[in-house]
Structure formats: C-alpha cells, structure tokens
Amino acid sequence: MKSSSAKDKPASASSPQPSTKAEQHPTREEEIRQLREENTRYARYIREKTNQLLQVMGTQSLKPEEFDDRELLSLDPIGIIAGAFEQVLEHLNDTIAELSEARDELQAIFDATGVGISIIDRDFCIVKCNEKQRELLVDSSIEEVAGRYCYNVYCNRDNPGLDCPALESFATGRPVTVREVKKKDKYFQVISTPFAIDAEGEVTRVIEVAMDITDKRLAELEQERQRGYYLTEKLKFATVIESLSEGLLVTDASNRIVSANTAAGKITGQDQQQMLGADLFSLLPVAANQLGGKDLQQGENVEHLEITHAGSGGDRILAINAVLLKDSETTPIGRVLTIRDITEEKQRREALFRAEKLAAVGQLSAGLAHELNTPLGSILGYARLLLRQDNFTDQQRDRLNLIAQQAKKSSAIIQGLLNFARVSSTTTKAGEAGCYPGRVIAEANKVLAAEFEQRGITVNTRLDADEAVAIDAKQLEQVIVNMLLNSMQAMKATGGTITITTDVRGNRLQLSITDDGPGIPQEVQSRIFDPFFTTKEVGEGTGLGLSICSGIINEFGGAIDVYSEEGRGTTFTITLPLEKKS
C-alpha cells in the first residue's frame, strides 16, 4: 500500500514552528476537529484503494451515497476483499491441480491411444506427436521430432503433397478425412482437424490423426485378388457348362431349378431363363418316382434313367443322371442333373440291330428259299401235269387244283424270301439318274387306283418339293406301293384318307404317307420292320413287306420311321438323300 502524501498527514507531524503557549496546548475542540480530519483522510484513502481492488476484480466501484465514511470504516472492505482473494486463490489452486491432473490424463491418453496423433503448425512443423505416431512413421534414428517438418519426417518428401489433409485444413478451416493414403509402405486413414485459430480467424495449428489400416488394406487387396481369381474361374466354369452338349440342371432343396445351361433348354424344349425358379418335377414329371420324389431325404443318386419327354417337336427319349448335392454335414441341399437326348442314338441302335437281324434273316431266308424252291417247283409241275389227264374224278381234280394253288402260294412266299434276302445282302449303290418322287407317286397311284376306289379311300398329294433323289425309281415305286397297300389294309373296309407329302430339308428329301386308320399300338411299333412280324389276320400278309421296304431305303442311304397313336392314324416318313448335281 502506498504511503500518504505529506499534505495528507496531520499538522502535528510537521516540522516544529514557533508558537504561542495557546498553540502548543490545543484545546479539546481542536483535537476533535483534527481527529475528524484525520478520519476523513483515512476514509478517502480506504475508499480509493477499495475501488482500485474492485476494478481489478471487475466489480462496480463504491459510491459515496451507498456508504458514508463511518459505515465504510466499520465495514472493513479491505478485509472482505482480502478474504475473497484468499478464496479465489484457493479455488485457483484447486483448479490448477485439476487441470494438472486432466493434463496428465490427456497426456497418458495421447501417448497410449492406438492411433498416431500429431499437432502441426502453419509451417508444417511438428509441435508434438505421441508415441504411436513415432512407432508408425518416425525412423528410430530420429531422437527429437518436435520442430521438424511433418512431410519430411512422415512422408519422406521435400514439401507437402496435394493429398496432404493438413494443407486443406489450413486453407479451408474444416476437418478433412483421407480414407487411404500410403506412407512409408504402409496404408493409413488420416483425419486432420483445426486445433487453434488466431484473432483473424485463421487456423494456426491442426491435429492430425493417422490410423494404420495396412492389415485391412492388404486383406482387401488379397480379397480382390481372390475375387478376381474366382470370377475368372467361375467364368471358365460357366463357359465349360454352356459349351456342354448335355443339358445341366441344378436345383435347391425345394426342387426349384437355380441353374440351367443352354443345352438343357434345347433338349427339354423350354426357354432357358423361364426354367430358372421352375419346379423340376413340373418340367420332368415322369422322373419324379425314379428320383425318389420331392423329398430330398428320400432321394438317391440315379444313373442312366431313360424317360420319354413330350417336347414341342414330339416325344423324345432322354437319359438322365442325377446326383444329390450335400453340405458339409452331408445334408442334401439340392440335385445336379445331366440330361442327354438319346432319341436318335436309340433309333440308330435299333436301325443297326434291325439291319443285323435283317442280314441274318436274309441269309437264312436265302438258304430256305433255295432248299424249298426245288421241291415246291416239282410239286407244282407234277400237279399241273396230273390236271391235264382225264382219268380223275371231279373230287380228285379239285384236290389237285388245291395242291397246285397251295404250291403256287408257297412259291410266292419263297419269292418274297428271295427278294428279302436279295435286299438284305446287296451293297449300297447309287440310284438311276432322274428319279423324281412325284412321278413315282403318280405311277403308284395308278397301280392302286381301282383298289382305292373299291375301298372308298381318297388319296391326297401335297408335293412341296420334287427334287431328284438318289434311289432306283423302280425300287422306290415298290416301296411306295407296299406302304400304300399297308395303309389301305390297315383301314380295312371303313374307307378314309391317305395323304402323301414331300418336303426338302437340307440335302435330304422327306416323303410322308399318313393314313387316318386305327393306328399301331405303342408296344409293337418297334417291331413292325422285323421280318415275318405282322398284325394282320392270318393269310393277309407274310410280314415281309415293311422289312423289304426298310431294306431298300437303307440300301440307298435313307431312313424310314413311323409315328402312330392308337385311334389317330399312322405316319410313315421316308428320308432320302438328294441326287448330287453335277
């Protein structure tokens, strides 16, 4: 506290002056006056110093009208302010201790956190960094990091790069996140945020947090590599599956088709995309029982299951292999089916079997015909000689006529055997030039016209093509006549319609003969081309006609097929190669 000035001191404190006796001994009133003046000066001094303290504390000054001098002296404001200062000092000490403790905690967190943290100023100098940052990015040979440039210490650069998040935070004053940055062969996610701002609003320091994502990034790169590998392998696998000539179907546990290749759509006659999600047994209903039904637990692996499938182009014979798909616990989760159309294969096998059988029967027939022809000729000759004599009764003559007729019939049968044997044993040869099916059909119709009219049969022809075919015209006429007779006999006396059509497909001609007769039972259709097999009444045929026709057509590189439904007629289709044009 400043000392009072000289003028504020009482007069008794001044240098001694000559005085009178009265002045040297003041009266009581003068002493009281002097004391009042002294109190006034002390009160003014206390008021001034109190106001100074109140100003320091940011409190409004004391006004004279609020406290007079006596009240001021009795209040002891300086003592009050001293006590307040003592409380403030105590609070400050407590606060400083708490701040110190908080600083230590923050420092511990700063050092112990699992991410690298740095404080960087506007010159890109490192003010401070934690131990994790040193561990991640600072070379062990560098002892002191503070004061060094962050781009030099952390990035091995001579200046900040354009990808530096601190550079953007200083420029924009906003936090910046870089999701991936590479530093010293490591990958980091870096977040930079303003830390200190000056009076002009410019960022003076930023905190930069670096999170090491190297393991995660390497795992992602490996995952991408594996994904690329698996996608490549998947594409290869899909290409292989699509290139298969066999159909492939994959189902789930509910027997819904989840995958199907192009061949499966072609074989089953279904759209490939529409098959996805469809029920397997709606697509192949006849295979349900053989595959164990819809319950996978009852299912089993099946090999070479043959079924007849009704496709858009007619019935097809399909061979199916089915394997159960199982998870790691051997629980069935679906099926894999391979489907193969074996219709033509079975037809070729049957044709080969039939050809072999025809050849064997032909050899047998040739031998039999040779052995029987001579005695039958003798029987017929002697019977005719005896008929010329007149010494026989009518009864004997009738019996001789019967012997001659039966011998002639037997000779006709033997001649059929010879024809069959000849067809079965000859080698394939080219037909005579200029064999046009239209002309052959017309000749065959002339031969049978009277028979057709007598039976009430109408013959319609629709010759969409009349290209020359590679077959002998006489033998083709024999085939057509035989086929027409077969259709006519099938319709018996009920009448009906026979339709003959021709059509060129590629380098082959198809000739179809369709009747509206009773049809051929399904169980015998595979045997109708066998020699001596017939469904006609006894005496109406030998069962060699269709066998001979099949042999002639096969001899010239063609094929003959039959399609029939009971009660809906029969269609024979003859396929012949076109004559090569010079």
Side-chain angles (χ1 to χ4, degrees):
M1 180 180 297
K2 294 182 180 180
S3 62
S4 302
S5 60
K7 65 179 181 178
D8 293 330
K9 293 180 180 180
S12 58
S14 303
S15 300
Q17 298 290 334
S19 61
T20 62
K21 184 176 179 179
E23 292 174 344
Q24 293 177 353
H25 300 279
T27 64
R28 184 173 180 84
E29 289 80 5
E30 289 177 349
E31 289 179 357
I32 292 172
R33 181 182 57 81
Q34 290 177 358
L35 287 173
R36 287 178 178 173
E37 289 177 355
E38 189 71 22
N39 286 339
T40 301
R41 284 195 301 272
Y42 280 130
R44 185 170 60 250
Y45 176 78
I46 290 171
R47 188 183 296 276
E48 290 176 358
K49 298 308 177 183
T50 300
N51 285 336
Q52 288 179 3
L53 290 173
L54 291 174
Q55 288 176 2
V56 171
M57 294 174 65
T59 306
Q60 191 174 4
S61 301
L62 296 175
K63 296 180 180 180
E65 60 270 18
E66 293 178 340
F67 297 98
D68 58 17
D69 292 343
R70 182 177 297 177
E71 289 175 333
L72 182 63
L73 292 175
S74 63
L75 184 63
D76 190 15
I78 294 179
I80 295 173
I81 292 174
F85 269 110
E86 185 178 359
Q87 292 178 357
V88 169
L89 180 60
E90 183 180 355
H91 179 69
L92 286 176
N93 288 333
D94 292 342
T95 303
I96 290 171
E98 291 176 359
L99 289 174
S100 178
E101 183 179 354
R103 182 194 63 187
D104 293 341
E105 291 178 357
L106 289 175
Q107 184 66 43
I109 295 172
F110 185 75
D111 290 332
T113 184
V115 297
I117 302 176
S118 299
I119 300 176
I120 301 169
D121 65 15
R122 287 193 65 85
D123 295 327
F124 297 95
C125 287
I126 302 171
V127 177
K128 191 176 184 179
C129 77
N130 67 350
E131 288 302 318
K132 189 63 177 181
Q133 188 79 318
R134 289 184 62 91
E135 177 187 334
L136 292 174
L137 292 173
V138 180
D139 293 337
S140 58
S141 60
I142 300 178
E143 296 182 358
E144 184 59 42
V145 177
R148 291 177 176 267
Y149 293 113
C150 63
Y151 51 79
N152 183 260
V153 175
Y154 297 157
C155 306
N156 288 336
R157 293 180 177 177
D158 296 329
N159 49 62
L162 295 177
D163 58 347
C164 176
L167 181 65
E168 188 172 346
S169 287
F170 281 126
T172 64
R174 295 192 300 269
V176 177
T177 299
V178 180
R179 298 198 176 277
E180 183 182 317
V181 62
K182 192 173 184 181
K183 296 182 179 182
K184 295 189 175 181
D185 297 326
K186 294 182 179 180
Y187 294 92
F188 294 90
Q189 181 176 341
V190 180
I191 301 173
S192 175
T193 187
F195 173 62
I197 301 175
D198 60 15
E200 285 76 22
E202 292 187 355
V203 178
T204 58
R205 292 184 180 182
V206 298
I207 291 180
E208 187 175 274
V209 179
M211 182 182 298
D212 186 0
I213 59 171
T214 304
D215 293 341
K216 177 184 175 183
R217 183 56 182 148
L218 292 178
E220 289 175 349
L221 291 174
E222 177 63 18
Q223 187 178 15
E224 290 176 5
R225 187 191 69 79
Q226 292 184 1
R227 186 183 297 112
Y229 171 78
Y230 288 128
L231 287 176
T232 301
E233 293 301 311
K234 181 179 179 181
L235 181 60
K236 291 179 182 178
F237 185 64
T239 303
V240 170
I241 289 176
E242 281 298 309
S243 65
L244 291 175
S245 59
E246 292 187 354
L248 182 70
L249 296 177
V250 181
T251 71
D252 59 14
S254 301
N255 296 301
R256 296 287 175 183
I257 298 173
V258 296
S259 180
N261 66 351
T262 303
K266 291 180 179 179
I267 292 173
T268 59
Q270 302 290 323
D271 181 83
Q272 183 181 3
Q273 294 302 318
Q274 292 181 351
M275 290 170 64
L276 300 179
D279 182 71
L280 172 66
F281 299 113
S282 296
L283 178 67
L284 303 171
V286 296
N289 292 332
Q290 292 89 334
L291 294 178
K294 294 187 176 183
D295 186 2
L296 285 181
Q297 301 297 331
Q298 304 298 324
E300 56 184 16
N301 296 339
V302 177
E303 292 185 3
H304 202 72
L305 168 65
E306 290 189 10
I307 65 171
T308 301
H309 176 69
S312 57
D315 289 346
R316 310 294 293 177
I317 301 173
L318 306 182
I320 298 177
N321 292 335
V323 178
L324 291 176
L325 276 177
K326 298 182 179 180
D327 59 15
S328 58
E329 297 179 356
T330 69
T331 301
I333 58 174
R335 287 186 173 96
V336 177
L337 292 88
T338 57
I339 305 173
R340 189 161 56 93
D341 187 345
I342 60 171
T343 306
E344 295 180 0
E345 180 182 330
K346 285 186 71 68
Q347 289 175 347
R348 286 194 298 269
R349 283 206 305 264
E350 290 175 0
L352 178 61
F353 177 72
R354 189 165 61 241
E356 292 175 348
K357 186 165 58 174
L358 288 176
V361 173
Q363 292 177 355
L364 176 63
S365 300
L368 287 173
H370 178 73
E371 294 297 330
L372 294 176
N373 200 32
T374 299
L376 280 176
S378 299
I379 293 171
L380 180 60
Y382 282 113
R384 287 176 176 173
L385 287 174
L386 290 172
L387 285 172
R388 292 178 183 177
Q389 299 179 13
D390 297 331
N391 57 348
F392 289 104
T393 65
D394 292 339
Q395 184 179 11
Q396 291 174 332
R397 188 171 296 278
D398 291 339
R399 290 174 179 175
L400 285 174
N401 280 325
L402 181 60
I403 292 172
Q405 290 175 2
Q406 294 301 317
K408 189 175 181 181
K409 184 178 292 186
S410 297
S411 179
I413 294 174
I414 291 172
Q415 185 62 42
L417 286 172
L418 287 173
N419 292 336
F420 173 75
R422 190 179 302 114
V423 168
S424 301
S425 59
T426 55
T427 57
T428 301
K429 61 182 179 180
E432 296 180 0
C435 177
Y436 290 90
R439 301 175 188 174
V440 176
I441 292 169
E443 290 296 324
N445 282 335
K446 288 180 182 178
V447 172
L448 298 174
E451 192 76 20
F452 288 148
E453 184 177 357
Q454 181 181 353
R455 291 175 177 256
I457 295 173
T458 302
V459 178
N460 297 324
T461 57
R462 190 177 68 249
L463 308 181
D464 295 335
D466 195 25
E467 300 281 342
V469 291
I471 190 174
D472 181 75
K474 292 295 182 183
Q475 289 183 289
L476 178 59
E477 182 179 349
Q478 179 184 354
V479 169
I480 294 174
V481 168
N482 211 325
M483 302 294 291
L484 291 173
L485 283 172
N486 192 73
S487 296
M488 182 177 63
Q489 291 170 358
M491 290 187 287
K492 298 182 178 180
T494 58
T497 301
I498 298 176
T499 303
I500 306 174
T501 63
T502 59
D503 182 27
V504 173
R505 297 188 179 182
N507 61 350
R508 303 179 79 81
L509 181 138
Q510 282 190 351
L511 188 155
S512 298
I513 299 174
T514 302
D515 64 61
D516 54 6
I520 303 173
Q522 181 71 30
E523 61 270 16
V524 301
Q525 287 185 22
S526 61
R527 300 178 57 195
I528 60 174
F529 294 106
D530 293 349
F532 305 111
F533 177 81
T534 180
T535 58
K536 299 173 185 177
E537 299 293 337
V538 177
E540 290 187 6
T542 62
L544 289 173
L546 290 179
S547 299
I548 293 172
C549 292
S550 177
I552 292 173
I553 296 301
N554 290 332
E555 178 185 356
F556 289 96
I560 182 169
D561 297 296
V562 62
Y563 176 78
S564 180
E565 294 183 26
E566 288 191 73
R568 303 185 66 177
T570 302
T571 297
F572 285 94
T573 301
I574 300 170
T575 304
L576 291 168
L578 295 177
E579 187 178 69
K580 294 182 179 180
K581 297 180 180 179
S582 57

